[in-house]
């Protein structure tokens, strides 16, 4: 498979980071090369930290729109009029504080790509407006009458199950099918752990160049811990941990004891509050004390209540150091 890398060094760097190690990611890239050249809407699904925005930008950079803007929008932080303003812009005087005309993201992405991150968080009232725009890509700015037409490709991403949200009436089904013409799923890091050693080496090489500092030799035991870890934050979490270690560690090598305490705590044995023997001992102590109290410290009666022999009771009293002073014998 031949990948077309952009001339821009920054864009080239993150593309190499995305595809260099994993067979799964190479398969994703094959799909990307098929869909990138067509103006079809793509919905990218995956957990936080799997690289959804990075993949969206790669689709843009592999498309005929590569030389035009890539405009990301976080749908999880805006709602109502603020969301409309972000997407469609406003005219001067449209509302308090609108001192100038402002273009929205749709206009800024003209001839380029509009990326909707966390599209699952789009508020129901905004879903209606957005669906209307997707019909013909025509809209008016807030406070304006001029109809504006744009040529924009839509890429979306979500870390939630949109079909589940549809069943809960939290996401419009018609909007879902508009956005998900082509679905692409990014697997979590825990499902492709074989790439972790190569990722660690790659990130170390990047950081060595960025910080002008020699990279440490990573011990195999460190890699083993990385392979055992669950990585809930996925690739982003791995890269952040490597950068943190790279900056803080002053040694020429990196062993398990050099890893941060909060990371190592994930491997501590989670012991029970009490062992089974401790639980049994506490239960027996309680039962013996209650039997003695009920029998007015008569050991013979207490043994009969407990359905054990007086000898066994005497032995347990000694083992558990239970004071039965004032007992009336057996």
């Amino acid at each position: 498979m031949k990948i077309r890398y952009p001339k821009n060094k920054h864009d080239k760097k993150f593309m190499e980071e995305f595809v260099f190690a994993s067979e799964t990611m190479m398969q994703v890239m094959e799909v990307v090369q098929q869909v990138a050249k067509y103006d079809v809407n793509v919905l990218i699904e995956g957990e936080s930290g799997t690289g959804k925005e990075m993949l969206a930008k790669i689709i843009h950079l592999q498309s005929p729109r590569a030389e035009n803007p890539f405009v990301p929008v976080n749908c999880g932080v805006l709602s109502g009029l603020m969301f409309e303003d972000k997407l469609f812009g406003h005219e001067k005087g449209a509302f308090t504080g609108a001192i100038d005309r402002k273009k929205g993201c749709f206009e800024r992405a003209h001839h380029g790509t509009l990326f909707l991150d966390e599209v699952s968080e789009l508020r129901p009232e905004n879903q209606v407006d957005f669906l209307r725009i997707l019909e013909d890509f025509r809209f008016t700015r807030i406070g304006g009458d001029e109809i504006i037409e744009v040529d924009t490709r839509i890429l979306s991403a979500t870390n939630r199950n949109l079909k589940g949200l549809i069943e809960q009436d939290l996401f419009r089904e018609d909007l879902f099918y508009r956005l998900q013409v082509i679905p692409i799923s990014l697997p979590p890091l825990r499902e492709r752990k074989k790439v972790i050693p190569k990722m660690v080496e790659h990130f170390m090489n990047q950081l060595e160049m960025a910080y002008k500092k020699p990279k440490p030799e990573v011990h195999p035991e460190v890699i083993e811990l990385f392979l055992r870890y669950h990585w809930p934050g996925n690739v982003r979490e791995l890269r952040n941990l490597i950068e943190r270690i790279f900056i803080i560690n002053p040694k020429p090598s990196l062993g398990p004891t050099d890893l941060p305490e909060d990371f190592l705590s994930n491997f501590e044995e989670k012991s029970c509050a009490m062992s089974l023997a401790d639980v049994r001992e506490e239960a027996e102590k309680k039962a013996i004390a209650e039997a003695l109290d009920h029998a007015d410290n008569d050991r013979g009666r207490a043994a009969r209540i407990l359905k054990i022999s007086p000898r066994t009771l005497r032995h347990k009293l000694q083992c558990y150091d239970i004071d039965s002073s004032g007992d009336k014998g057996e």
Side-chain angles (χ1 to χ4, degrees):
M1 180 183 62
K2 185 177 180 180
I3 299 171
R4 178 166 58 86
Y5 289 99
K7 296 179 181 178
N8 181 287
K9 290 183 179 180
H10 177 268
D11 292 338
K12 181 179 180 180
K13 183 176 73 173
F14 81 72
M15 280 187 65
E16 289 175 341
E17 178 179 313
F18 193 84
V19 304
F20 76 98
S22 169
E23 180 180 346
T24 303
M25 291 301 101
M26 294 299 288
Q27 293 173 352
V28 169
M29 285 301 297
E30 290 180 0
V31 176
V32 166
Q33 288 195 314
Q34 292 299 316
V35 304
K37 54 190 173 184
Y38 302 110
D39 276 345
V40 60
N41 293 346
V42 177
L43 178 65
I44 305 168
E45 300 171 299
E47 295 180 6
S48 295
T50 50
K52 296 185 292 296
E53 182 170 352
M54 187 180 293
L55 182 62
K57 192 163 188 182
I58 290 174
I59 293 174
H60 170 73
L61 292 171
Q62 296 290 295
S63 76
R65 298 175 179 263
E67 301 301 321
N68 297 310
F70 174 86
V71 181
V73 178
N74 188 334
C75 300
V77 298
L78 300 171
S79 63
L81 186 62
M82 292 179 63
F83 181 80
E84 291 183 32
D85 186 33
K86 182 75 173 179
L87 256 65
F88 312 131
H90 61 256
E91 296 290 350
K92 180 179 179 180
F95 48 81
T96 303
I99 58 177
D100 290 302
R101 170 187 286 179
K102 178 185 175 182
K103 291 184 178 181
C105 290
F106 260 112
E107 280 186 85
R108 289 168 47 210
H110 186 47
H111 294 312
T113 301
L114 181 66
F115 173 59
L116 302 173
D117 196 13
E118 297 186 34
V119 71
S120 58
E121 305 306 312
L122 200 59
R123 304 298 193 273
E125 64 270 21
N126 295 128
Q127 292 179 30
V128 177
D129 295 332
F130 192 71
L131 181 63
R132 189 179 302 116
I133 301 302
L134 293 183
E135 295 287 340
D136 54 14
F137 288 88
R138 302 172 68 198
F139 61 91
T140 59
R141 300 189 192 101
I142 297 175
D145 298 318
E146 177 189 359
I147 296 178
I148 300 167
E149 296 187 17
V150 291
D151 171 22
T152 305
R153 182 182 192 174
I154 306 295
L155 303 177
S156 308
T158 179
N159 60 6
R160 300 179 66 184
N161 183 347
L162 288 185
K163 289 187 176 180
L165 295 180
I166 291 171
E167 293 175 358
Q168 300 174 51
D169 292 327
L170 297 175
F171 202 86
R172 293 180 63 97
E173 187 173 19
D174 45 5
L175 178 56
F176 168 74
Y177 286 113
R178 278 279 185 178
L179 297 175
Q180 190 200 240
V181 178
I182 302 289
I184 297 179
S185 179
L186 289 179
L189 184 57
R190 62 182 172 274
E191 293 182 7
R192 46 190 177 101
K193 287 187 175 181
K194 290 182 179 180
V195 306
I196 287 178
K198 291 183 179 179
M199 283 186 171
V200 172
E201 180 182 3
H202 177 72
F203 292 144
M204 283 291 186
N205 290 337
Q206 279 190 336
L207 294 167
E208 183 178 41
M209 294 179 63
Y211 292 111
K212 311 299 181 185
K213 175 185 174 184
K215 66 181 180 181
E217 177 188 356
V218 181
H219 291 191
E221 294 83 0
V222 171
I223 298 298
E224 180 61 30
L225 287 175
F226 287 171
L227 293 173
R228 287 171 53 195
Y229 184 52
H230 189 63
W231 299 109
N234 294 290
V235 178
R236 183 188 299 127
E237 182 183 7
L238 173 61
R239 195 192 191 289
N240 289 349
L241 177 64
I242 296 299
E243 185 169 16
R244 176 181 171 189
I245 294 169
F246 187 91
I247 292 173
I248 294 176
N249 178 55
K251 302 177 183 178
S253 62
L254 180 70
T257 56
D258 300 314
L259 297 174
E261 286 295 329
D262 57 338
F263 179 76
L264 291 174
S265 66
N266 293 290
F267 302 96
E268 294 177 356
E269 294 294 333
K270 308 297 183 182
S271 59
C272 296
M274 297 178 66
S275 67
L276 187 60
D278 290 337
V279 172
R280 180 175 180 177
E281 179 179 330
E282 289 300 315
E284 287 192 349
K285 284 181 179 179
K286 182 179 179 182
I288 291 171
E290 289 178 351
L292 286 170
D293 182 64
H294 187 74
D296 195 22
N297 279 339
D298 186 324
R299 291 184 182 180
R301 287 177 58 197
R304 289 193 293 274
I305 293 172
L306 295 169
K307 297 183 179 180
I308 58 176
S309 68
R311 182 179 178 182
T312 299
L313 175 60
R314 185 168 58 250
H315 174 71
K316 289 186 179 293
L317 289 171
Q318 292 173 349
C319 288
Y320 296 151
D321 194 25
I322 296 176
D323 182 13
S324 59
S325 58
D327 63 273
K328 298 181 180 180
E330 300 175 0

